[in-house]
């Protein structure tokens, strides 16, 4: 019954807001100084229940609309067991690896493993169905880091347990070849650009456990409890959203255990870009599609 | 006042639905045969007003939920003035064009123009800021054609006024190099696969005008009337959604004139993948994030 009453309240607020926005905004402009802005965001962060958060978002969104302030949202995201690595030692001598390295004017061990190039070489590789798909990380980065409203604090955990931190100021290259070049540089020098003190991408010295001592992780998995994606937008800054960065198969059991919560956002099996689109769409909808 | 009353009604239905779903679904399973399904979709298509459509969607979504039928949605989309073409005659002799063609073992005139390869060659090209970005078409195709709920009937209109029809059964290659290979094949043989009677992608003999005698076009442009993206999901099958398939600049004046409606779905300037994510997210939200 509590849920029903909460919804009743939310819908009533909704009716009021619709009415208010429809008939009142024309005459209201900037009657509050911008300095009240942090006040409201901290109120939002303080609200622990999802109901209060929803209420806060709606209120702030309408306030923003009235004041013509552009709304924003911040998410913490980690791509887990990402299929991103340099060519492993076992297959360095394979002709497809050597030819590709020669064409790129690199040492074979400095090139990125890619199943579309190294298909035959990868035949006997351990867990091969989860490896060699840098394109997944590329499209995820482009989708997560180009939204003007939803800003993402992004980490990439690789299949080899490296933890990569991506600066949210990065403009990820849209071109795949350029992205591969960037990743080759990252694995060779540990950061991009190699000489920078505030790099755009960096291989950290932390482990996944170190990161998860700072955040609680909500893992997106088909086996999780069914929720709608707006649940993820409302979680708050102590949470990090864990998405699979691999094409097929399932999370390692260790990853399952590390998660504080396991949820599923669809009845369908979604690909990584589909999951990200739903999260970004849902968060944008919550702040009124600014 | 009409809008206010409509919203009041919708919210009331929302409260009822929430209550109904919360307390009743456990005991309801498959009490209607699947054959009632087309009945409801045609009811939905018949409803001309956006209010009735919204109502229909909510009702059908809840019915689907009760019956455990998976909801779906169909959109017509056209990418306009897409930055997808083979290298034009003017720059066929440029070293970067020749080298790339040699590497791909193709004739220079059969390779795809790509600014990340042909940057210097394109320096004097007409409308160069709108050309040579096949990556935009690639990421748009992947996002539009991999959603399990929203099915897209996709056309690609190129900067050279070719009209390409994409079969909705296609599984677009995730790898950029493979996509480029596919496009080279398309421009060489007019269809992919070259021998097929029911090709996955085909250069049609139609013009944009021919297509727009069949559909009414809603053009997404910064200069359009501000709407939320769900507006596009509710339009119905006689409409086609026109998106820019180029990186910078504006639509050709001719394209503006051909549109029946011009709308904007954000206060921000969005990139093509951002626009598509919002549309897909919004349509999925309308059918209850299945």
């Amino acid at each position: 019954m509590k849920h029903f009453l909460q919804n009743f309240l939310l819908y009533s607020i909704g009716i009021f807001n619709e009415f208010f926005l429809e008939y009142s905004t024309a005459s209201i402009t900037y009657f509050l100084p911008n300095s009240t802005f942090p006040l409201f965001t901290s109120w939002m962060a303080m609200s622990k229940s999802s109901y209060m958060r929803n209420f806060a978002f709606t209120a702030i969104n309408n306030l923003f609309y009235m004041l013509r302030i552009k709304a924003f949202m911040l998410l913490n995201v980690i791509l887990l067991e990402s299929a991103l690595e340099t060519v492993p030692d076992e297959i360095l001598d394979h002709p497809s690896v050597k030819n590709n390295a020669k064409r790129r004017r690199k040492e074979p061990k400095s090139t990125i493993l890619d199943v579309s190039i190294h298909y035959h070489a990868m035949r006997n590789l351990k867990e091969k169905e989860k490896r060699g798909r840098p394109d997944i990380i590329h499209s995820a980065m482009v989708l997560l880091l180009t939204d003007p409203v939803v800003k993402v604090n992004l980490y990439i955990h690789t299949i080899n347990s490296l933890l990569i931190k991506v600066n949210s100021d990065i403009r990820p290259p849209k071109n795949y070849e350029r992205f591969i070049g960037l990743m080759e540089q990252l694995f060779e020098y540990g950061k991009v650009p190699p000489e920078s003190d505030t790099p755009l991408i960096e291989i950290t010295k932390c482990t996944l456990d170190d990161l998860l001592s700072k955040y609680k992780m909500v893992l997106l998995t088909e086996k999780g409890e069914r929720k709608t994606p707006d649940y993820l937008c409302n979680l708050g800054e102590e949470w990090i959203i864990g998405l699979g960065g691999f094409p097929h198969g399932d999370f390692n059991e260790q990853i399952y255990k590390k998660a504080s919560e396991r949820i599923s956002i669809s009845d369908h099996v979604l690909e990584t870009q589909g999951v990200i689109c739903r999260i970004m769409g849902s968060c944008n909808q919550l702040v009124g599609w600014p």
Side-chain angles (χ1 to χ4, degrees), chain A residues 161-213:
Chain A
S161 299
L162 292 175
L163 189 69
I164 298 164
K165 170 82 188 88
V166 184
N167 190 318
S168 54
D169 292 336
I170 198 178
R171 286 171 50 89
K174 302 287 162 58
N175 183 277
Y176 181 65
E177 288 296 311
R178 279 170 197 256
F179 170 78
I180 292 295
L182 214 69
M183 290 299 115
E184 284 171 347
Q185 201 179 45
L186 175 68
F187 281 102
E188 192 158 347
Y189 300 102
K191 55 185 176 178
V192 175
E195 306 299 323
S196 172
D197 289 333
T198 52
L200 292 171
I201 319 180
E202 188 178 15
I203 300 178
T204 67
K205 291 183 173 58
C206 299
T207 64
L208 183 59
D209 283 324
D210 295 338
L211 188 74
L212 296 186
S213 66

Side-chain angles (χ1 to χ4, degrees), chain A residues 7 23 47 57 60 70 84 102 123 153 208 211 235:
Chain A
N7 276 315
Y23 297 99
S47 324
F57 272 120
I60 287 171
K70 282 175 179 172
L84 177 69
K102 195 175 159 196
R123 205 177 323 175
N153 179 25
L208 183 59
L211 188 74
L235 280 172

Side-chain angles (χ1 to χ4, degrees), chain A residues 58-265:
Chain A
T58 315
I60 287 171
N61 176 34
N62 289 341
L63 189 76
F64 282 4
Y65 187 94
M66 289 190 303
L67 302 180
R68 283 119 218 258
I69 296 172
K70 282 175 179 172
F72 76 99
M73 199 177 263
L74 187 72
L75 295 180
N76 303 311
V77 175
I78 182 165
L79 296 171
L80 293 161
E81 298 187 80
S82 302
L84 177 69
E85 62 184 314
T86 50
V87 174
D89 293 342
E90 304 97 284
I91 61 170
L92 282 179
D93 289 331
H94 194 278
S96 69
V97 174
K98 282 182 172 170
N99 288 340
N100 178 55
K102 195 175 159 196
R103 187 169 72 73
R104 300 188 62 80
R105 288 173 206 151
K106 294 260 176 192
E107 286 296 305
K109 69 175 168 39
S110 303
T111 58
I112 301 289
L113 186 70
D114 188 334
V115 69
S116 77
I117 299 167
H118 306 125
Y119 183 77
H120 291 292
M122 285 173 68
R123 205 177 323 175
N124 297 320
L125 222 52
K126 214 181 90 190
E127 290 194 292
K128 65 172 186 220
E129 74 288 347
K130 282 175 83 171
R131 297 169 76 174
R133 288 293 304 274
D135 60 304
I136 293 180
I137 314 309
H138 179 223
S139 80
M141 268 178 75
V142 170
L143 288 172
L144 287 166
L145 300 168
T146 57
D147 196 277
V149 177
V150 181
K151 296 297 170 196
V152 172
N153 179 25
L154 178 64
Y155 293 87
I156 301 170
H157 166 258
T158 75
I159 188 110
N160 297 325
S161 299
L162 292 175
L163 189 69
I164 298 164
K165 170 82 188 88
V166 184
N167 190 318
S168 54
D169 292 336
I170 198 178
R171 286 171 50 89
K174 302 287 162 58
N175 183 277
Y176 181 65
E177 288 296 311
R178 279 170 197 256
F179 170 78
I180 292 295
L182 214 69
M183 290 299 115
E184 284 171 347
Q185 201 179 45
L186 175 68
F187 281 102
E188 192 158 347
Y189 300 102
K191 55 185 176 178
V192 175
E195 306 299 323
S196 172
D197 289 333
T198 52
L200 292 171
I201 319 180
E202 188 178 15
I203 300 178
T204 67
K205 291 183 173 58
C206 299
T207 64
L208 183 59
D209 283 324
D210 295 338
L211 188 74
L212 296 186
S213 66
K214 206 173 132 195
Y215 295 108
K216 286 189 279 185
M217 181 164 71
V218 52
L219 190 70
L220 265 67
T221 156
E222 294 155 43
K223 295 179 193 160
E225 187 191 349
R226 184 71 164 84
K227 303 257 189 197
T228 49
D230 52 305
Y231 178 77
L232 298 168
C233 312
N234 287 344
L235 280 172
E237 57 196 274
E238 73 273 27
W239 286 86
I240 191 162
I241 303 168
L243 312 176
F246 50 86
H248 304 291
D250 209 344
F251 288 108
N252 188 306
E253 194 140 330
Q254 294 302 314
I255 302 280
Y256 268 107
K257 285 186 190 149
K258 291 187 211 297
S260 304
E261 241 184 282
R262 281 157 290 270
I263 72 156
S264 156
I265 58 163

